[in-house]
Amino acid sequence: MIGDACEKGRTFNSIGKRKGSLKEEIGSVCMDAKKLDTGLRDAISLLPQEVLGDILSLLPTKLAASTSVLSKKWRNVFALVHNLDFDDSVLLRPEERNEEWDVIRESFRNFVDRTIAMQCGSPIKKFSLKCQIVGDSEMAHVGRWISNAIERGVLEVDLSLKTYARLFLPCELFKSKTLVKLTLGSQISLMKMPPDVSLPVLKSLFIDSIFFDGGDLCYVFLPGCPVLEELFVRHEEEVGIPLCICSATIKKLSVYYDLESEIDFMGGMSFNAPSLVSLNYRDYALSEYPQVNLKSLVEARLDIHYSKVIKKPNLTGLIRGMSNVKTLHLSPASVDVISLCVKKHGLLLPVFNNLVNLSFGSKNKRGWKLLPYLLKQSPKLETVIIQGLDGYTSDLTMRVKVLH
């Protein structure tokens, strides 16, 4: 009987040129069920409210919130939605700014306020906010929304904010007792962080083009994350990158820098991460790497590029600091820089006593001349993957022990 009602509901919607929203789908099924006078409720309404809340959490927040107009029951169900995502880019395009722009922005703010109010402070798992901030009043709104999520015990926060002024994030964000994953982006400048950062359960931190005041990231933020395991830092065409990454707990680190015009002001880069297992590092070769402590490193991917800005790059600290690695992936650009430093700047490769897997590629003769030297310094090497050989469509894998 319920199946018949659902079938008629679909037919009714097709005739009425339904728009496909959840509200119309559920409403039409309920309407036809009443017409049949079967005394049965629609199948969706028979589900427990907790299950309905999980289902709505899989939908975009705007669509999930629209179900609250169906009935009082659905208003109660929406309070159980545990994922909230707000994105003003679906409404606004900066390149098309006109007289309606401010009206649309106000509409977005009102929608976020109403949605948060409908949830009545119920716990949430993930809070995602992507928006532009224009003026102090909007900054106050954003701060209030973030604080609300923290108060409700949020586990994951994803912020993609854009503003022309320095941004002040609420202190509550840096003192959450429940936050496990935090994503901050992009191209914004943060005000001074609170000195007593405390994120006792934060395990994953992703930072995309964020300018921190002074050494706040390395000396204030990271020390306040005692169980941090994964750190991702990216800076593209933005100054203010950290020159030192120091953490006793991180196991996976990804660093992507693309700031050739600024590297002459950077000096050197340090990595003090004794528990690190996996490193993915992309950057221009710098003048020095004064401190590199990666004694637990298992796998490393290097994509180091040469820049004429640094006439005499020095990779000694970086290469020696990762000599315990077991699997090493060297991009053609990295091979070129390392071979240059060996030939012209006196770089001596350390003995890689634990290296068993090597991925190696080059686009010039100088780079290929580095391979025999590297093989000699790797007494336990078992497998070499050769990249970029002319005439091959894929990489070539060689068993070094067999070759010997």
Side-chain angles (χ1 to χ4, degrees):
M1 300 294 286
I2 295 173
D4 293 340
C6 291
E7 183 63 28
K8 289 190 176 185
R10 286 191 289 270
T11 302
F12 175 85
N13 281 324
S14 178
I15 295 173
K17 297 181 179 179
R18 64 184 179 89
K19 297 181 178 179
S21 70
L22 184 62
K23 171 185 173 183
E24 292 172 335
E25 191 72 18
I26 296 172
S28 61
V29 172
C30 294
M31 184 181 298
D32 280 345
K34 290 180 180 179
K35 286 183 179 180
L36 292 174
D37 197 21
T38 61
L40 297 175
R41 292 178 293 171
D42 63 276
I44 293 181
S45 294
L46 293 175
L47 297 173
Q49 287 196 348
E50 291 76 10
V51 175
L52 293 175
D54 289 339
I55 294 173
L56 292 185
S57 295
L58 300 174
L59 301 176
T61 297
K62 187 175 181 179
L63 183 56
S66 68
T67 64
S68 63
V69 303
L70 295 178
S71 67
K72 182 178 179 181
K73 173 182 177 177
W74 283 98
R75 286 196 295 271
N76 295 334
V77 169
F78 182 72
L80 301 177
V81 171
H82 48 70
N83 291 339
L84 296 179
D85 65 280
F86 303 105
D87 184 353
D88 71 355
S89 65
V90 300
L91 302 173
L92 298 167
R93 294 184 179 180
E95 66 275 12
E96 297 179 0
R97 186 165 182 170
N98 52 42
E99 62 274 6
E100 296 182 358
W101 205 73
D102 291 335
V103 176
I104 297 175
R105 292 197 58 78
E106 184 177 1
S107 176
F108 173 77
R109 294 194 299 269
N110 291 337
F111 167 69
V112 177
D113 284 335
R114 288 195 306 269
T115 301
I116 291 176
M118 281 193 296
Q119 290 219 298
C120 303
S122 58
I124 56 174
K125 294 180 180 179
K126 181 178 179 179
F127 177 78
S128 177
L129 176 63
K130 181 179 181 180
C131 70
Q132 300 178 63
I133 302 175
V134 181
D136 293 340
S137 61
E138 289 193 356
M139 197 172 296
H141 281 283
V142 170
R144 179 163 45 80
W145 298 335
I146 296 173
S147 296
N148 179 273
I150 299 300
E151 291 171 3
R152 295 161 63 182
V154 67
L155 303 179
E156 180 178 347
V157 171
D158 186 344
L159 302 176
S160 182
L161 309 173
K162 289 188 177 181
T163 179
Y164 295 105
R166 296 194 70 182
L167 181 65
F168 178 78
L169 293 175
C171 293
E172 291 85 351
L173 178 64
F174 303 106
K175 298 180 181 181
S176 168
K177 305 302 180 184
T178 60
L179 196 58
V180 176
K181 182 178 180 180
L182 175 61
T183 300
L184 295 176
S186 59
Q187 298 179 6
I188 59 176
S189 176
L190 291 181
M191 296 286 283
K192 188 71 177 177
M193 297 185 69
D196 52 346
V197 172
S198 178
L199 296 167
V201 296
L202 187 71
K203 291 187 176 181
S204 299
L205 176 60
F206 297 81
I207 297 170
D208 185 359
S209 302
I210 301 294
F211 177 83
F212 289 86
D213 189 71
D216 274 1
L217 174 61
C218 302
Y219 304 114
V220 180
F221 200 166
L222 294 183
C225 307
V227 298
L228 188 67
E229 295 181 356
E230 181 177 10
L231 175 61
F232 175 96
V233 182
R234 177 169 61 191
H235 278 273
E236 294 180 345
E237 300 179 359
E238 288 291 322
V239 298
I241 61 178
L243 304 182
C244 174
I245 293 180
C246 180
S247 172
T249 60
I250 57 173
K251 297 179 180 179
K252 183 177 181 180
L253 173 63
S254 297
V255 177
Y256 297 91
Y257 289 165
D258 187 7
L259 290 165
E260 184 176 9
S261 62
E262 302 295 332
I263 58 176
D264 54 337
F265 300 107
M266 290 175 55
M269 179 76 190
S270 293
F271 298 95
N272 185 9
S275 299
L276 194 69
V277 174
S278 174
L279 172 66
N280 196 339
Y281 179 41
R282 184 187 188 282
D283 198 357
Y284 286 95
L286 302 178
S287 58
E288 65 173 339
Y289 294 82
Q291 181 184 19
V292 180
N293 178 11
L294 303 173
K295 62 181 181 181
S296 300
L297 193 63
V298 174
E299 182 174 8
R301 294 179 180 272
L302 292 186
D303 187 17
I304 309 298
H305 294 249
Y306 174 75
S307 171
K308 294 181 179 180
V309 176
I310 303 295
K311 296 182 178 180
K312 190 176 180 180
N314 186 352
L315 301 180
T316 301
L318 178 64
I319 302 300
R320 288 182 178 177
M322 51 189 296
S323 60
N324 287 329
V325 70
K326 294 181 179 180
T327 298
L328 178 60
H329 305 270
L330 295 177
S331 71
S334 297
V335 171
D336 184 52
V337 173
I338 294 173
S339 59
L340 175 67
C341 290
V342 169
K343 183 178 180 179
K344 295 186 176 182
H345 305 312
L347 172 62
L348 298 177
L349 295 183
V351 176
F352 295 91
N353 284 314
N354 298 322
L355 187 63
V356 293
N357 299 304
L358 172 66
S359 178
F360 186 100
S362 180
K363 296 181 179 179
N364 55 55
K365 292 182 180 180
R366 183 179 63 199
W368 288 114
K369 290 181 180 179
L370 178 68
L371 184 57
Y373 183 20
L374 189 52
L375 293 177
K376 180 182 177 182
Q377 299 299 104
S378 309
K380 296 182 180 179
L381 192 63
E382 298 179 1
T383 304
V384 177
I385 298 176
I386 303 297
Q387 311 169 36
L389 285 175
D390 292 339
Y392 286 88
T393 57
S394 59
D395 296 338
L396 174 65
T397 301
M398 300 186 297
R399 298 293 178 181
V400 177
K401 287 187 175 182
V402 175
L403 292 177
H404 290 330

